[in-house]
Amino acid sequence: MEIFGSTFDDSVFLEARERVCESLSSYNAKVCDPQWFCENSCLHNEDSLEKQKVFKFRGDLAVRQGNYQKALEAYSSCLQLTSDNNLTIRRDVLEGMARCCTKLGQRNEALDLASSLSKEVSNTCHLTSLLLLKVSIYHHFGLVRPKMSCLQQLCTLLPFNPWYWFSLGQMCLQLLDSNTATEPVGGETEENQEELSEEQIWLQACVSLIRTRLLLRSLQQQQSSFVLQRSQKVLQVTEEALQRLNPAEPTLQTLSEVMSEDLIPEKMREDYQDGESLASVCLPNFRERWWDKVLLTGVLRDPSATGGVLVLQT
């Protein structure tokens, strides 16, 4: 009777076959001089792909140098050479052109380019990039309400990102300070954008900042170094803003409970993974996901109170 593993296969003791070493053909790496794409001779190449690279690199360099008109011209030339099925380069170039137009004060052109990008959105990463681009355009031209609408969409798409909630809270504070209703221009309208009363803006500021505080406190357990320092700094600013808004303690408690209902560690890791197809994501608007839930608590503003104190409706 043989014990399992006590015998060896004879092949273990056979001599290894001699390996035949085939000589490899020599390879010479291509060496490029710094800013080689700036030479006019690069455009003499008949290969359209090489010309596309040249214009793309020229545009990127011009942006770094702050020459946005030159960058816009280079990107435009690159786009003309880019095939329709090369979506990665097209998106990169269109976004670069939109940012250049923004810097040059060409509002309508920047919004048109952003609109072109929206037609090619196919996953959550694309949508996030598009919304951030719109936020930068609206911020540059002082369009507060459409910028706030984009931030609301970001908070719904990525609900566990404290920076979007913080930015939304800051936008609400800006609206309260200005007491104006800046409308989108140039034909650009954002979905779910609506007129909000001063009381609603006040309440949305409280909700956004409370959500920011909850998320930052939760994430600090996993942070260190400069990341932790940044979170602590933003958390301090958030606390000061909430003190300025001065919600009553019962209201603060109620809103904190509502905005923390989904803060479950397992859900925070799995909710809306980057790059997920939009076809598989059921994305409600901000009102459906957050605002209606807040209003159901019966929180109303007491017009007779000072300092923006809220009371609970009974």
Coordinates of all heavy atoms in Angstrom, one line a residue, residues 34-35 37-38 57-71 74-75 100 103:
P34 N 12.8 67.7 -26.7 CA 11.8 68.5 -26.0 C 11.0 69.4 -26.9 O 11.6 70.1 -27.7 CB 12.5 69.3 -24.9 CG 13.8 68.5 -24.7 CD 14.2 67.9 -26.1
Q35 N 9.7 69.4 -26.8 CA 8.8 70.2 -27.6 C 9.1 70.0 -29.1 O 9.0 70.9 -29.9 CB 8.9 71.7 -27.2 CG 8.6 71.9 -25.8 CD 8.6 73.4 -25.4 OE1 8.6 74.3 -26.3 NE2 8.5 73.7 -24.1
F37 N 7.2 68.8 -31.2 CA 6.0 69.0 -32.0 C 5.8 70.5 -32.4 O 4.9 70.8 -33.1 CB 4.8 68.6 -31.2 CG 4.8 69.0 -29.7 CD1 4.3 70.3 -29.4 CD2 5.3 68.2 -28.7 CE1 4.3 70.7 -28.1 CE2 5.3 68.6 -27.4 CZ 4.8 69.8 -27.1
C38 N 6.7 71.3 -31.8 CA 6.6 72.8 -32.2 C 7.3 73.1 -33.5 O 7.1 74.2 -34.1 CB 7.2 73.6 -31.1 SG 6.3 73.5 -29.5
F57 N -0.7 68.1 -28.9 CA 0.4 68.5 -28.0 C 0.6 70.0 -28.0 O 0.9 70.6 -26.9 CB 1.7 67.8 -28.4 CG 1.7 66.3 -28.2 CD1 2.5 65.5 -28.9 CD2 0.8 65.7 -27.3 CE1 2.4 64.1 -28.8 CE2 0.7 64.4 -27.1 CZ 1.6 63.5 -27.8
R58 N 0.5 70.6 -29.1 CA 0.6 72.1 -29.2 C -0.5 72.8 -28.4 O -0.2 73.8 -27.7 CB 0.6 72.6 -30.6 CG 1.8 72.2 -31.5 CD 1.7 72.8 -32.9 NE 2.9 72.5 -33.6 CZ 3.1 72.9 -34.9 NH1 2.2 73.7 -35.5 NH2 4.2 72.6 -35.5
G59 N -1.7 72.3 -28.5 CA -2.8 72.8 -27.7 C -2.6 72.7 -26.2 O -2.8 73.6 -25.4
D60 N -2.1 71.5 -25.8 CA -1.8 71.3 -24.3 C -0.7 72.2 -23.8 O -0.8 72.8 -22.7 CB -1.4 69.8 -24.1 CG -2.6 68.9 -24.4 OD1 -3.7 69.3 -24.4 OD2 -2.3 67.7 -24.5
L61 N 0.3 72.4 -24.6 CA 1.4 73.3 -24.2 C 0.9 74.7 -24.1 O 1.3 75.4 -23.2 CB 2.6 73.2 -25.2 CG 3.8 74.1 -24.9 CD1 4.4 73.7 -23.6 CD2 4.8 73.9 -26.0
A62 N 0.1 75.2 -25.1 CA -0.4 76.5 -25.1 C -1.3 76.8 -23.9 O -1.2 77.9 -23.3 CB -1.1 76.8 -26.4
V63 N -2.0 75.8 -23.5 CA -2.9 76.0 -22.3 C -2.0 76.2 -21.0 O -2.2 77.0 -20.2 CB -3.8 74.7 -22.1 CG1 -4.4 74.8 -20.7 CG2 -4.9 74.7 -23.1
R64 N -0.9 75.4 -20.9 CA 0.0 75.5 -19.8 C 0.7 76.9 -19.8 O 1.0 77.4 -18.7 CB 1.1 74.4 -19.8 CG 0.6 73.0 -19.6 CD 1.7 72.1 -19.4 NE 2.5 72.4 -18.2 CZ 3.6 71.8 -17.9 NH1 4.1 70.8 -18.6 NH2 4.3 72.2 -16.8
Q65 N 0.9 77.4 -21.0 CA 1.5 78.7 -21.1 C 0.5 79.9 -20.9 O 0.9 81.1 -20.9 CB 2.3 78.8 -22.4 CG 3.4 77.9 -22.5 CD 4.1 77.9 -23.9 OE1 3.4 78.3 -24.9 NE2 5.3 77.4 -24.0
G66 N -0.8 79.6 -20.9 CA -1.8 80.6 -20.7 C -2.2 81.3 -22.0 O -2.9 82.3 -22.0
N67 N -1.8 80.7 -23.1 CA -2.1 81.3 -24.5 C -3.3 80.5 -25.0 O -3.2 79.6 -25.8 CB -0.9 81.1 -25.4 CG -1.1 82.0 -26.7 OD1 -2.3 82.3 -27.1 ND2 -0.1 82.3 -27.4
Y68 N -4.5 80.9 -24.5 CA -5.7 80.2 -24.8 C -6.2 80.3 -26.2 O -6.8 79.4 -26.8 CB -6.8 80.6 -23.8 CG -6.4 80.4 -22.4 CD1 -6.1 81.4 -21.5 CD2 -6.4 79.1 -21.9 CE1 -5.7 81.2 -20.2 CE2 -6.0 78.8 -20.6 CZ -5.7 79.9 -19.8 OH -5.3 79.7 -18.5
Q69 N -5.9 81.4 -26.9 CA -6.3 81.6 -28.3 C -5.5 80.6 -29.2 O -6.1 80.0 -30.0 CB -6.1 83.0 -28.7 CG -6.5 83.3 -30.2 CD -8.0 83.0 -30.4 OE1 -8.9 83.4 -29.7 NE2 -8.3 82.3 -31.5
K70 N -4.2 80.6 -28.9 CA -3.4 79.6 -29.7 C -3.8 78.2 -29.4 O -3.8 77.4 -30.3 CB -1.9 79.9 -29.3 CG -0.9 79.0 -30.0 CD 0.5 79.3 -29.6 CE 1.5 78.4 -30.3 NZ 2.9 78.8 -29.9
A71 N -4.1 77.9 -28.1 CA -4.5 76.5 -27.8 C -5.8 76.2 -28.5 O -6.0 75.1 -29.0 CB -4.7 76.4 -26.3
A74 N -5.1 75.3 -32.1 CA -4.5 74.0 -32.2 C -5.5 72.9 -32.0 O -5.5 71.9 -32.7 CB -3.3 73.9 -31.2
Y75 N -6.3 73.0 -31.0 CA -7.4 72.0 -30.7 C -8.3 71.9 -31.8 O -8.8 70.8 -32.2 CB -8.1 72.3 -29.4 CG -7.4 72.1 -28.1 CD1 -7.5 72.9 -27.1 CD2 -6.5 71.0 -28.0 CE1 -6.8 72.7 -25.9 CE2 -5.8 70.7 -26.8 CZ -6.0 71.6 -25.8 OH -5.3 71.3 -24.6
C100 N -10.9 76.7 -23.1 CA -10.3 77.8 -23.7 C -11.3 78.9 -24.0 O -11.0 80.1 -23.8 CB -9.6 77.4 -25.0 SG -8.1 76.4 -24.8
K103 N -12.1 80.8 -20.9 CA -11.0 81.8 -20.5 C -11.0 83.0 -21.4 O -10.6 84.1 -21.0 CB -9.6 81.1 -20.6 CG -9.4 80.0 -19.6 CD -9.3 80.6 -18.2 CE -9.0 79.5 -17.1 NZ -8.8 80.1 -15.8

